[in-house]
Amino acid sequence: MKDLSDDIIKSIEERAVKPVLHWQYVSKKILFWIGTSLLVSLGALALALAIYLVQSIDWNMYSFLGYGSLYSFVMSAFPYIYILLLIAFLVLAYYFYRQTPKGHKINISVLATILIIFGLSVAFLFHILGVNREAYFQLARMPFYHQMMFTKEGEWSQPDKGLLWGEVSNVSKNNFSLRDANGKDWNVSYDNNTSFDKNIYDVQGQDVKIIGQEKSTNDFQAKQVRQWDGVMNCNGHRNMMMNRNGMMENSGMMGGRGMMNWR
Amino acid sequence: MDLSQTTDWELIRLSNGNPKYFKHIVERYQNRIFHYLKRMSYYSNEDVEDMVQEVFIKVYRSMNDFESTDKFSSLIYRIAHNHLVDNIRKSNVRPNQNYLEDEEAVNIIRSEINLEMDFASSEAIEKIKIAILQLPENYREVLVLKFLEDKRIEEIVDILRKPQGTVATLLRRGREMLKNELLKAGIKN
């Protein structure tokens, strides 16, 4: 081949080629590191949300919802979307990490293992800190969320299947009023056979979940009345539950706000 | 000023802002890059020379991205490799001719097949070249880097930006595939 050195230098000078500035490369490397960290964190959040969702659902209610077995209920209510999101974010994090200066040196299996362990650790941390509860609270306030996912709120908003959730008001001897998440008012009847985990007069103004039977458009017969243990009340506010010592307990990280009507 | 003893990294430092010093880098590596591109592509000498020019302009442009802990030749080969991949992708044509020298083709298979150059017939060498050409691109590039460019595995890792395990697997499988092809073609140990 002929000596190209003079042609190359001439070409560099004629085209006024300049070396790309060092800070631009540094910025690019930092961006890939930030991207990798962000994607792992998002994957971890998806997993933490899945954990919260699994934890919050009342799994023993499957027979009310028409599932023949717990297994078929688990298969139906399993948070596939979050698991898919976890996988998608980790795969993206893998490709981002590969773009870092030494990212190509680690073997695929080693890098995948590191990302999975790191993702699981961050997910566990999010769970401990309650980040997943807060994220769930924000998501649960969006109307489409309960249509996309099987949620505790959705589970207990099926009066036709005997599961009702709402805020108690006007308690009298044999019945009380209840307003559900759609703002619909119910007249809930109870009798001596109805079981309560707290005195019904004590939960006035609070949310409860009820197992029973829909009698007519606005009438519901209660068999069991339990304190609502979800992160969000049916009015879209944060659920402040009474703990064992009678103290108010915030089930989320921050104070409540806003109204909802998500169905 | 005699720059023959100056290291690559020192020349790169001097070249930053003064392309004249970059000429010495080009002189040191242009032949190697030309032959590497030639071995890996189907282009004519003129086309490969154009590619060499573009490769060195890219090297000049990216000199601030280099880290002195890296092996300089690996960085140039990496840019050449990426440039070649881009070109082949743009033209969307796989190599259909072989520019390997007879001895180069034998070098690739020497560790697998005990073929002495003196005894290798032109017909056998042609079969070897065809077998090498028919290898998938990723196997072929690893074999070329290892046996013709004399690169160590660690350097190939940096040039191709693939993990060491992947490069070692490509190398082992590439050699096995080549050996099988040659046995099928009637060239035996």
Side-chain angles (χ1 to χ4, degrees):
Chain A
M1 66 167 283
K2 67 172 185 178
D3 182 3
L4 298 170
S5 58
D6 286 327
D7 291 346
I8 290 170
I9 301 305
K10 196 176 160 198
S11 186
I12 286 172
E13 287 173 340
E14 278 176 3
R15 287 154 70 174
V17 178
K18 298 272 178 235
V20 176
L21 297 171
H22 184 64
W23 69 265
Q24 287 175 284
Y25 287 112
V26 173
S27 309
K28 193 176 146 194
K29 285 167 193 168
I30 291 172
L31 273 178
F32 276 114
W33 272 110
I34 291 173
T36 307
S37 312
L38 197 68
L39 287 163
V40 171
S41 302
L42 285 171
L45 183 62
L47 179 61
L49 272 163
I51 292 168
Y52 183 79
L53 208 64
V54 167
Q55 208 181 36
S56 68
I57 290 171
D58 293 290
W59 295 98
N60 54 349
M61 292 294 113
Y62 67 89
S63 58
F64 288 91
L65 300 169
Y67 291 95
S69 67
L70 179 61
Y71 175 76
S72 57
F73 184 38
V74 169
M75 286 293 107
S76 168
F78 190 78
Y80 296 103
I81 291 178
Y82 286 131
I83 301 303
L84 286 175
L85 279 174
L86 165 71
I87 294 167
F89 283 131
L90 287 186
V91 168
L92 280 173
Y94 170 86
Y95 283 106
F96 263 71
Y97 181 77
R98 279 269 179 255
Q99 301 304 314
T100 60
K102 307 287 175 195
H104 62 285
K105 289 187 186 272
I106 301 181
N107 267 333
I108 295 168
S109 52
V110 175
L111 180 56
T113 309
I114 289 171
L115 286 173
I116 289 168
I117 291 173
F118 197 63
L120 288 176
S121 308
V122 177
F124 185 66
L125 187 70
F126 282 169
H127 186 63
I128 298 288
L129 294 173
V131 174
N132 53 350
R133 284 200 304 274
E134 177 58 25
Y136 181 88
F137 176 72
Q138 298 301 337
L139 287 169
R141 289 149 53 85
M142 297 174 183
F144 60 85
Y145 184 67
H146 301 276
Q147 288 155 16
M148 281 169 56
M149 307 289 296
F150 189 95
T151 61
K152 185 185 187 74
E153 289 74 19
E155 181 183 18
W156 285 93
S157 298
Q158 303 184 65
D160 53 323
K161 290 178 176 168
L163 301 173
L164 184 61
W165 156 53
E167 186 185 315
V168 176
S169 62
N170 300 328
V171 179
S172 60
K173 196 180 173 188
N174 291 313
N175 57 44
F176 59 85
S177 300
L178 182 135
R179 178 167 286 178
D180 70 13
N182 298 314
K184 182 181 174 184
D185 290 315
W186 291 83
N187 176 37
V188 181
S189 313
Y190 63 93
D191 53 32
N192 290 338
N193 294 324
T194 306
S195 69
F196 294 89
D197 61 359
K198 281 185 99 174
N199 189 315
I200 188 64
Y201 289 97
D202 290 344
V203 292
Q204 210 162 193
Q206 291 181 34
D207 280 26
V208 292
K209 54 185 183 184
I210 307 169
I211 300 171
Q213 194 178 1
E214 187 180 18
K215 291 288 185 189
S216 63
T217 320
N218 294 88
D219 293 311
F220 198 85
Q221 175 67 44
K223 289 178 186 164
Q224 286 181 39
V225 181
R226 298 176 189 168
Q227 195 176 6
W228 176 246
D229 50 357
V231 70
M232 177 187 68
N233 282 338
C234 63
N235 58 12
H237 291 171
R238 221 170 284 275
N239 183 21
M240 308 289 282
M241 290 184 292
M242 287 281 189
N243 64 19
R244 285 178 188 168
N245 303 320
M247 304 291 286
M248 294 297 266
E249 197 176 60
N250 189 352
S251 61
M253 286 173 75
M254 299 186 290
R257 60 176 186 273
M259 296 293 288
M260 67 173 302
N261 183 3
W262 47 266
R263 288 202 87 193
Chain B
M1 185 179 176
D2 180 23
L3 294 169
S4 59
Q5 300 301 312
T6 313
T7 65
D8 292 341
W9 289 113
E10 188 61 21
L11 280 176
I12 282 294
R13 196 185 61 77
L14 292 168
S15 306
N16 207 337
N18 190 349
K20 294 269 185 298
Y21 288 100
F22 192 65
K23 186 174 187 291
H24 300 279
I25 290 281
V26 178
E27 284 168 351
R28 281 181 193 183
Y29 287 97
Q30 60 180 344
N31 271 318
R32 279 189 261 177
I33 296 302
F34 176 86
H35 284 108
Y36 171 63
L37 293 173
K38 189 79 183 157
R39 283 160 179 158
M40 287 303 301
S41 73
Y42 53 94
Y43 300 120
S44 65
N45 281 357
E46 290 72 31
D47 287 341
V48 174
E49 281 174 2
D50 287 346
M51 284 174 77
V52 170
Q53 284 207 36
E54 289 306 314
V55 166
F56 278 100
I57 288 170
K58 282 184 177 176
V59 170
Y60 183 78
R61 192 176 281 138
S62 10
M63 64 171 69
N64 282 326
D65 190 25
F66 301 158
E67 290 176 19
S68 53
T69 49
D70 294 328
K71 197 164 190 292
F72 186 74
S73 69
S74 298
L75 297 169
I76 296 194
Y77 269 86
R78 189 170 85 205
I79 290 172
H81 165 78
N82 291 343
H83 189 73
L84 179 65
V85 169
D86 285 347
N87 263 273
I88 291 176
R89 198 174 290 150
K90 275 179 202 161
S91 60
N92 204 21
V93 181
R94 250 186 74 93
N96 54 6
Q97 296 171 53
N98 205 315
Y99 285 99
L100 292 176
E101 299 294 333
D102 292 356
E103 197 170 354
E104 290 176 343
V106 172
N107 271 345
I108 289 182
I109 55 134
R110 189 159 277 161
S111 57
E112 295 299 324
I113 306 275
N114 184 22
L115 189 72
E116 288 303 322
M117 191 61 198
D118 296 343
F119 299 106
S121 66
S122 58
E123 189 192 358
I125 287 171
E126 202 48 47
K127 284 177 180 174
I128 293 166
K129 284 183 176 182
I130 290 168
I132 293 168
L133 183 71
Q134 282 174 344
L135 282 177
E137 198 75 29
N138 49 347
Y139 293 102
R140 203 155 59 92
E141 66 191 6
V142 174
L143 289 173
V144 167
L145 285 167
K146 174 74 181 155
F147 296 110
L148 301 184
E149 305 294 333
D150 279 330
K151 297 291 177 197
R152 290 181 291 115
I153 297 274
E154 294 76 20
E155 292 175 77
I156 300 174
V157 163
D158 286 335
I159 293 165
L160 302 179
R161 281 189 66 82
K162 284 179 177 158
Q164 190 160 337
T166 308
V167 170
T169 305
L170 286 170
L171 198 55
R172 181 173 49 78
R173 286 191 191 155
R175 285 160 73 171
E176 280 171 10
M177 286 165 81
L178 196 53
K179 188 179 177 181
N180 291 337
E181 285 300 315
L182 293 176
L183 289 174
K184 268 191 233 167
I187 299 172
K188 293 177 184 164
N189 281 332

